[in-house]
Amino acid sequence: MMKRRTSFLLISVIALALVGCGVTSADSVSAAATTSATEVVADKAEAMNATKATTVNENSSDEIPVKPEKITNSEDASFEYNGNTVSILDDTKTVLAALGTPTSSEPSAYNNSETYLFGADPDIIEYSAFKLSNGTEAPDYILVHDKNIKTSKGIGLGNTEKEIISAYGKPSEIADFPEVNIYDLDYDMGSFSITFSLDNDKKLTSFSYLNNDNGNKYSCALN
């Protein structure tokens, strides 16, 4: 779970950075992602997993206990976008209909999936779906980097670590890896997860929804 989530976050950060720099071709994104993310993950993923991502930043002034606290409300798997409800638990056809016309789509650099981008820099939504042998697609993740979008509990970009924990409770995991600029609060809710990515000031820069059921079935990243 951690290896898959960490690798997808690194790939997504690289893809968003390339969009911000005006690079939109599939070849450019794939080449940069493969070179950068694969090397980083290959060198560091095992060390990261050894910690189980359950430590708190030693420089944090507030010690946050890390205990799994699952939330089963399916509303937490969704958010509102342009008047539509988008849920990671829906099928790909429904998700794409809710998100509208993508600005681009291209094969993923790290597994057999398709990645769709919506919006314009810096307000980007990234949706990834596994390509199945029967020609359909199964949702993998939705990454939100749009300041106008809130979660079902009212959390959006710029909210603090304390505000997120106040809304969602104790995280299932805290991933604190300063060597790759990762500080995430991860909430495992059973069939899906929400990950909140924070900057050095502990303010939210993006959040993502992962379909755990599909990930367990179809993910082949770094296996």
Side-chain angles (χ1 to χ4, degrees):
M1 176 66 181
M2 270 301 300
K3 186 181 290 186
R4 170 179 172 252
R5 186 168 62 82
T6 301
S7 62
F8 120 75
L9 285 170
L10 288 169
I11 296 283
S12 301
V13 168
I14 291 169
L16 288 172
L18 289 173
V19 170
C21 294
V23 179
T24 57
S25 72
D27 290 342
S28 298
V29 173
S30 297
T34 301
T35 300
S36 301
T38 301
E39 290 178 356
V40 170
V41 173
D43 291 340
K44 298 177 182 287
E46 292 306 324
M48 290 178 181
N49 289 331
T51 69
K52 298 299 181 183
T54 56
T55 57
V56 177
N57 188 338
E58 293 178 356
N59 296 323
S60 176
S61 58
D62 298 305
E63 186 173 329
I64 303 169
V66 183
K67 296 180 181 178
E69 184 171 295
K70 292 190 178 181
I71 307 170
T72 57
N73 189 347
S74 62
E75 291 183 359
D76 290 317
S78 65
F79 60 91
E80 298 297 313
Y81 180 66
N82 290 337
N84 298 318
T85 300
V86 182
S87 173
I88 192 62
L89 298 180
D90 285 336
D91 56 41
T92 287
K93 183 178 180 180
T94 303
V95 172
L96 293 179
L99 288 173
T101 304
T103 54
S104 67
S105 64
E106 55 206 16
S108 170
Y110 79 104
N111 64 10
N112 188 29
S113 62
E114 187 78 9
T115 299
Y116 302 84
L117 294 181
F118 301 84
D121 186 58
D123 295 323
I124 298 292
I125 297 175
E126 179 180 332
Y127 171 63
S128 180
F130 296 106
K131 294 181 179 179
L132 307 184
S133 58
N134 63 5
T136 62
E137 296 180 352
D140 180 10
Y141 68 82
I142 303 173
L143 173 67
V144 177
H145 196 277
D146 186 329
K147 64 180 179 295
N148 301 303
I149 296 176
K150 308 288 185 182
T151 70
S152 62
K153 295 186 182 299
I155 296 298
L157 305 194
N159 277 121
T160 65
E161 180 178 27
K162 287 184 177 180
E163 289 169 335
I164 295 169
I165 292 174
S166 177
Y168 284 90
K170 300 171 185 176
S172 304
E173 296 176 325
I174 294 180
D176 186 10
F177 304 122
E179 65 272 23
V180 287
N181 296 319
I182 289 177
Y183 188 85
D184 295 342
L185 306 181
D186 185 53
Y187 290 85
D188 182 352
M189 302 184 183
S191 60
F192 68 98
S193 295
I194 304 179
T195 297
F196 297 97
S197 299
L198 290 77
D199 61 18
N200 293 333
D201 295 324
K202 300 298 187 298
K203 291 186 177 181
L204 186 63
T205 58
S206 67
F207 55 96
S208 54
Y209 300 84
L210 279 75
N211 189 308
N212 293 339
D213 290 344
N214 288 341
N216 292 333
K217 290 179 183 177
Y218 308 121
S219 179
C220 60
L222 301 178
N223 287 341

